[in-house]
Amino acid sequence: MILRFVTASVLSAALSTPALAAGPSDTNIPTVAPAMPEAASPRLVFTLRGGVSSSPEYFGSEDQKLGPDFSFRLNYLQLGQRGIGNPDVTAAPRVLSFGPSFRFISERDADDYEELEGLDTVDAALEVGVSVGYAREHFLAFAQVRRGFGGHEGWVAEAGADILYRPSDRWLLSAGPRVLFGDDTFTDTYFGVTSDEANATFSAYDPDGGLISAGIELGARYKINDLWGIEGAITYDVFQNDAADSPIVEQGTDEQWGVRVGITRVFSIGG
């Protein structure tokens, strides 16, 4: 189960569970706003989402697990006379954005999965990094780099792009490709089998880093009113290269599906 936080709105995060994709459908790409002539105090606009998700129980699992889905999206930040982002969360995004990016990967305990018998437990991991995005009215692209802490201490990078379609002022539909890269440390942790772990089911396997998965995400947002909305997405990813050849994946599946849906609430502070 993967809890994902994606922050790429102002300088824009999601609690989801092993899902391989995440990306800007959780993010509203901001732009530098014109100077505000009478800005007295900082103004903050952000969106929270809470809901449910279904995702693989671990990387390569055939089984899905229901879990919570949470996200935090920073839409606008005003400091002094300058503003970053757009206080209108439904406005068409433009230009370049920078921000933090987070992902939480839950523990993989072999005692919980009969098919993983003999493998060591992988502790929960928190990935922390940065995100950069570029968006126009009908297009959005992003790239994220994160470093893991806890269960793995490797580096990962995600990238993607979306075509955006607004059939009305209440709906936003998105669709586009996603790719995930990881270094040797990441692939060893989630796709490798050490000589001590090798058994009748799993032979020793030492994967190299590189392209981990490639897939697609389809997303939709519906604006109920100025404060409340509904968001959902479907993700499909296929493991690539050494990740696809892992004995862990071969005893499971190289195709990974994810679904999430939640209620959103916009909060505005100051101004």
Side-chain angles (χ1 to χ4, degrees):
M1 204 181 190
I2 292 180
L3 304 178
R4 172 182 298 286
F5 303 74
V6 180
T7 348
S9 222
V10 181
L11 305 184
S12 215
L15 225 174
S16 48
T17 54
L20 297 178
S25 51
D26 286 329
T27 334
N28 193 21
I29 303 296
T31 181
V32 176
M36 309 296 284
E38 297 184 3
S41 60
R43 185 181 180 190
L44 174 67
V45 180
F46 61 93
T47 303
L48 296 181
R49 185 183 74 231
V52 295
S53 66
S54 173
S55 60
E57 294 183 323
Y58 56 85
F59 294 116
S61 175
E62 290 182 309
D63 299 321
Q64 298 288 113
K65 178 180 289 186
L66 285 176
D69 174 69
F70 301 108
S71 78
F72 166 81
R73 186 165 59 247
L74 184 57
N75 306 107
Y76 179 74
L77 178 64
Q78 182 181 315
L79 295 173
Q81 299 296 310
R82 301 300 300 176
I84 303 175
N86 194 329
D88 181 359
V89 298
T90 63
R94 310 184 292 282
V95 196
L96 199 62
S97 70
F98 301 89
S101 175
F102 309 90
R103 182 171 68 162
F104 178 80
I105 305 175
S106 58
E107 177 184 78
R108 190 189 73 190
D109 189 341
D111 291 339
D112 296 334
Y113 310 105
E114 182 178 347
E115 69 273 19
L116 299 183
E117 183 178 358
L119 298 184
D120 293 339
T121 294
V122 178
D123 293 334
L126 176 64
E127 296 174 355
V128 180
V130 296
S131 177
V132 59
Y134 177 82
R136 305 295 291 180
E137 183 177 0
H138 299 294
F139 173 78
L140 180 155
F142 77 98
Q144 301 165 352
V145 177
R146 297 185 299 269
R147 202 266 195 189
F149 297 89
H152 85 85
E153 298 186 350
W155 289 87
V156 297
E158 289 189 70
D162 278 335
I163 296 298
L164 307 177
Y165 175 59
R166 295 175 174 80
S168 73
D169 60 352
R170 292 184 179 273
W171 280 100
L172 172 62
L173 307 179
S174 61
R178 301 287 186 271
V179 289
L180 172 68
F181 298 86
D183 67 2
D184 289 356
T185 300
F186 179 83
T187 53
D188 283 344
T189 301
Y190 294 105
F191 302 97
V193 179
T194 67
S195 56
D196 291 338
E197 294 174 310
N199 54 38
T201 304
F202 300 109
S203 57
Y205 185 66
D206 183 20
D208 291 328
L211 177 63
I212 303 295
S213 68
I216 188 171
E217 178 171 312
L218 307 176
R221 296 182 191 174
Y222 179 74
K223 176 184 175 182
I224 298 174
N225 55 40
D226 288 344
L227 297 179
W228 294 92
I230 301 173
E231 291 184 1
I234 298 173
T235 61
Y236 172 72
D237 297 277
V238 179
F239 288 121
Q240 308 290 319
N241 303 322
D242 282 10
D245 295 333
S246 166
I248 299 171
V249 173
E250 289 182 340
Q251 63 79 38
T253 178
D254 63 353
E255 298 182 337
Q256 306 283 274
W257 288 89
V259 179
R260 66 176 183 271
V261 62
I263 302 295
T264 63
R265 172 65 155 84
V266 177
F267 295 86
S268 181
I269 301 174

